[in-house]
Each structure stands twice: as C-alpha cells, then as structure tokens.
Amino acid sequence: ENPEARRVHRQNRRARKKEAGGMLSVGLSAKLFKLQKGKCPCCKQPLGDDYHLDHKMPLALGGTNTDENMQLLRSICNLQKHAKHPVDFMQERGYLL
C-alpha cells in the first residue's frame, strides 16, 4: 500500500542479492523528489507517479546501495538506462561530449 516503502525495500533486497552492501533510508524517495524538484535528471520532464528509484552507478558495475548513489528517474528513462554506466548513457542521449 505504500509505494515509497516498497521501492526502498525492493532496492535493498536487490543489493543484498548482489552483495553490494549498504541500506537505503526510509523516506529517501520523498527527499530525492524534493531535491530533484520533481523532475527526471535525464530528460528534465516531470517524474509523475510511476517514477523508479535508480542506482546512478548500477550495482552490476560495482555501484553501492547507498542514499548518495540513488536518483529518481521516469520509468521510460530507467528502462532505457538499464545497467549502463551513467556517462555512457548520457552520451548516448547527446547530453555529454
């Protein structure tokens, strides 16, 4: 019933399975939503209600499961990013040289 708690629980569980370590704090989604001003950092569009909690540096590439490594992305952006390195992903989108 609580989508934010479910997002945090899901990410913590994934990190345990990958032995990445770290735990996300409760209320992280609300804090990130406020910091990001409700916008997706990839496309600058409003996040909406179906945003994803994403690891900036993917766990598959050695990223950690810590609050500092998290961001909120629109679902379409997160599905396109998958487990890519953040610099490579943004270069694909034409934002970085």
Side-chain angles (χ1 to χ4, degrees):
E1 291 185 25
N2 185 343
E4 193 256 328
R6 190 176 32 204
R7 285 183 187 107
V8 169
H9 174 76
R10 188 178 317 125
Q11 294 296 349
N12 284 333
R13 184 171 183 275
R14 282 185 60 229
R16 280 193 309 273
K17 287 174 78 174
K18 292 200 178 268
E19 298 178 1
M23 289 288 286
L24 302 178
S25 58
V26 176
L28 178 61
S29 293
K31 187 186 326 179
L32 289 172
F33 196 91
K34 186 176 179 181
L35 282 171
Q36 293 178 205
K37 299 179 179 159
K39 299 210 183 245
C40 176
C42 292
C43 66
K44 308 298 185 222
Q45 298 295 316
L47 287 168
D49 292 333
D50 65 340
Y51 57 83
H52 290 187
L53 192 56
D54 173 62
H55 292 92
K56 294 174 190 174
M57 179 60 71
L59 298 177
L61 298 179
T64 59
N65 191 49
T66 59
D67 291 357
E68 296 77 29
N69 190 35
M70 302 306 291
Q71 63 185 347
L72 300 178
L73 296 181
R74 290 179 57 221
S75 58
I76 187 86
C77 293
N78 192 36
L79 294 172
Q80 291 171 352
K81 180 180 176 260
H82 191 56
K84 297 175 185 165
H85 191 281
V87 173
D88 295 340
F89 176 64
M90 293 306 281
Q91 283 177 335
E92 283 178 10
R93 299 188 82 149
Y95 290 108
L96 300 173
L97 299 175

